[in-house]
Amino acid sequence: MHSTVTLPEEFLSTIAEILPSTLNLNDFIAACQRPLRKSIRVNTLKISVVDFQTRAAGKGWHLEPIPWCESGFWITADEEQVPLGNTAEHMAGLFYIQEASSMMPVSALFMQSGTPFEYVLDMAAAPGSKTTQIAALMDNQGVLVANEYSASRVKILHANIERCGIRNSALTNFDGQIFGGWLPEQFDAILLDAPCSGEGTVRKDPDAMKNWSKASVMSIAQTQKSLIESAFQALKVGGVLVYSTCTLSREENQDVCWHLKQTYGDAVTFTRLDQLFSSAEQAITEEGFLHIFPQVYDCEGFFVAKITKLASVETPAVKKRLGKFPFVKVSPAQRLEIEQQLYHALNIRLPEDSHVWSRDGDIWLFPSALESLLGELRFSRMGIKIAEQHKRGYRWQHQVATTLATGQESQSVELDKDQARDWFMGRDVRPEETTGQGEVIVCYQGDVIGLGKWVGNRIKNGLPRDLVRDKNLF
């Protein structure tokens, strides 16, 4: 029990006023004082849910399905020796440790989507739990613009995208309020998991409410209203917007959604979420939003609203000064050369829904859908870096293996447990009775974990520094 959890009296008075008649304050307080159940989401870009369940059973992990996410599970596992985050399966990107209620917004975004989304925006993306969930549901197709306002958190976001084998993302580092003016009516779907006061997170962080005040709630709500306006402006007519927070106050939730309705009138319609999962009616509001108190589903407090855009709205005028774009699309002849050399070296083929670009001798693979955006917005990282060009050919990069390889390629090598540990700690490895030449796909338990290069009888480690771990591995 979190005996030190901070729940200010003014906050509790506010909660007492907004609790549905079916709930009571004592149960709310008791729920806030219970530690969260641990939950994970299977990364279906890397492994099927069925195959993951089989592997989990072999490790003695108990999985309980999360009703609002087909790939989500509450998990019971012995972490005394090795935390879940340091298991081989996590390091290989097979699953993401994600709070159960935070899986709900993306499930709502994709609920009853008739056709695949080609352009998706995650407006506040770091650390990447929802971004990676979106990418999996997009099956790496189209383009996913993942924006993060905090520059220091972009690095964490990229590391998680890289670990999970995502190749259709384009990262940006802006205040989300710019998107309505810079990319009006561009996106089929937008997730705005808004910065908030975090009232629902006390089960994870007992000090989350330590500096809470009504004034700060009202101040954050003003920012949220500006962000939701921008998101709505950037949404195509007929597109869907999910607004979510991990907070409980009406000011940051229902009132923000009603502000959008009051601003844009009949262009805004709320899509009810009663059918998102079997017991959704326990948290549904009059408008059809999900307002989740922690005792209802034994998870974090959360809010989810789904909005459809029925008509165009006015957008801010902006003057764009992007500067010279530093990438150049390679010629058809060079693309063919790259494809042939990649297949010869690693038995990997480039996906057809991608374009190859170069910059200062580096070769990049961008999702085809990104091309129309390249002159409209500045991106900090796009697609994946696949090679560095040299006089005698190309030096292939880590993400070629983790996003394009299956592990069945002839140019691959299987490591044992000790070797895999060394690999994830950034060390070179020496597989027994095996030698080769050039780059090689490195696998453990059949999962692709990186790309190395043969140097005599050892494989030189090519793991990016952001993914290197230093202790307590599987």
Side-chain angles (χ1 to χ4, degrees):
M1 176 181 287
H2 288 315
S3 58
T4 59
V5 67
T6 302
L7 296 172
E9 287 300 322
E10 187 181 3
F11 167 68
L12 290 176
S13 297
T14 302
I15 293 296
E17 292 173 4
I18 65 173
L19 269 176
S21 59
T22 54
L23 304 178
N24 68 74
L25 190 62
N26 288 336
D27 288 346
F28 172 81
I29 295 171
C32 289
Q33 292 176 334
R34 287 196 302 271
L36 274 172
R37 291 186 286 173
K38 181 154 281 188
S39 50
I40 63 169
R41 178 180 45 79
V42 179
N43 178 19
T44 53
L45 293 175
K46 294 277 192 178
I47 189 172
S48 71
V49 170
V50 171
D51 287 346
F52 184 84
Q53 288 174 307
T54 299
R55 188 175 296 200
K59 296 181 72 70
W61 296 348
H62 175 72
L63 303 179
E64 179 185 346
I66 293 170
W68 49 83
C69 180
E70 291 182 355
S71 55
F73 297 90
W74 283 290
I75 184 169
T76 304
D78 182 4
E79 296 188 76
E80 190 171 323
Q81 297 299 320
V82 180
L84 280 173
N86 283 356
T87 60
E89 289 74 17
H90 185 266
M91 302 283 285
L94 305 192
F95 69 91
Y96 198 109
I97 300 170
Q98 182 176 356
E99 206 285 312
S101 56
S102 84
M103 302 176 195
M104 212 176 288
V106 176
S107 295
L109 190 68
F110 282 78
M111 180 183 72
Q112 299 172 341
S113 58
T115 56
F117 298 135
E118 186 174 17
Y119 293 93
V120 180
L121 170 63
D122 185 355
M123 193 180 277
S129 58
K130 299 175 189 66
T131 308
T132 54
Q133 186 180 358
I134 291 170
L137 289 170
M138 293 178 76
D139 196 25
N140 258 336
Q141 304 298 301
V143 62
L144 169 55
V145 176
N147 179 67
E148 176 51 43
Y149 176 59
S150 170
S152 63
R153 285 162 57 87
V154 172
K155 185 176 181 181
I156 300 168
L157 173 62
H158 179 260
N160 280 321
I161 284 173
E162 191 171 41
R163 181 177 62 84
C164 291
I166 294 166
R167 59 177 174 82
N168 72 330
S169 64
L171 275 59
T172 55
N173 175 214
F174 295 113
D175 184 328
Q177 296 176 64
I178 66 103
F179 282 97
W182 280 74
L183 293 175
E185 296 191 355
Q186 176 61 58
F187 296 97
D188 304 302
I190 296 176
L191 173 65
L192 171 54
D193 187 51
C196 65
S197 61
E199 294 170 346
T201 65
V202 291
R203 297 182 65 181
K204 181 170 58 181
D205 178 9
D207 294 327
M209 299 288 293
K210 199 170 185 178
N211 298 313
W212 181 92
S213 71
K214 194 70 174 180
S216 68
V217 167
M218 301 305 292
S219 175
I220 292 169
Q222 292 306 116
T223 300
Q224 292 162 340
K225 289 174 182 176
S226 296
L227 287 170
I228 201 171
E229 285 183 29
S230 176
F232 195 73
Q233 292 160 3
L235 191 65
K236 290 179 180 178
V237 175
V240 292
L241 162 66
V242 164
Y243 174 79
S244 62
T245 71
C246 55
T247 199
L248 297 168
S249 68
R250 290 188 60 91
E251 291 86 355
E252 296 181 69
N253 294 322
Q254 288 94 326
D255 290 358
V256 173
C257 295
W258 278 109
H259 165 80
L260 188 71
K261 178 72 172 172
Q262 290 160 2
T263 303
Y264 294 121
D266 290 342
V268 176
T269 185
F270 300 140
T271 303
R272 295 189 65 87
L273 295 172
D274 309 65
Q275 303 303 313
L276 183 60
F277 57 101
S278 60
S279 55
E281 72 280 354
Q282 296 178 32
I284 211 78
T285 71
E286 183 180 348
E287 304 93 338
F289 308 145
L290 287 168
H291 194 172
I292 301 146
F293 291 88
Q295 67 266 47
V296 179
Y297 305 118
D298 194 16
C299 59
E300 278 190 348
F302 229 85
F303 177 85
V304 185
K306 187 171 185 177
I307 299 159
T308 302
K309 184 173 181 176
L310 299 182
S312 293
V313 299
E314 186 176 349
T315 59
V318 296
K319 291 183 179 180
K320 296 186 178 182
R321 293 189 181 93
L322 294 177
K324 185 178 178 181
F325 187 60
F327 292 85
V328 177
K329 188 188 289 188
V330 304
S331 67
Q334 188 180 3
R335 173 168 178 140
L336 179 60
E337 176 192 45
I338 291 168
E339 288 180 323
Q340 290 174 339
Q341 291 202 26
L342 178 58
Y343 186 74
H344 176 74
L346 295 170
N347 304 125
I348 291 175
R349 297 190 185 277
L350 294 181
E352 293 183 1
D353 62 331
S354 61
H355 291 155
V356 181
W357 295 72
S358 68
R359 178 184 182 181
D360 300 328
D362 292 341
I363 307 298
W364 293 77
L365 194 70
F366 294 172
S368 299
L370 177 64
E371 193 161 349
S372 64
L373 304 182
L374 294 179
E376 302 298 328
L377 193 70
R378 186 177 69 254
F379 295 93
S380 58
R381 180 100 181 190
M382 298 162 285
I384 60 171
K385 181 179 175 182
I386 61 171
E388 294 176 352
Q389 189 171 8
H390 296 275
K391 289 182 180 179
R392 291 191 289 179
Y394 300 93
R395 181 178 298 159
W396 308 110
Q397 301 296 296
H398 172 78
Q399 284 185 292
V400 165
T402 56
T403 63
L404 302 179
T406 64
Q408 302 302 311
E409 293 80 7
S410 57
Q411 291 291 339
S412 61
V413 63
E414 178 76 15
L415 304 185
D416 63 27
K417 186 174 184 178
D418 290 336
Q419 292 163 351
R421 279 185 182 140
D422 285 341
W423 179 265
F424 282 121
M425 294 174 77
R427 300 168 182 165
D428 296 349
V429 294
R430 289 179 169 79
E432 294 181 12
E433 301 178 4
T434 306
T435 58
Q437 291 183 334
E439 281 90 0
V440 60
I441 299 162
V442 178
C443 304
Y444 176 57
Q445 296 180 341
D447 304 317
V448 175
I449 60 174
L451 189 71
K453 184 176 181 180
W454 284 107
V455 179
N457 66 346
R458 67 183 171 91
I459 298 175
K460 184 176 175 60
N461 196 302
L463 197 65
R465 183 63 206 169
D466 290 349
L467 302 180
V468 171
R469 299 291 182 89
D470 59 359
K471 60 182 178 179
N472 201 22
L473 298 180
F474 56 92

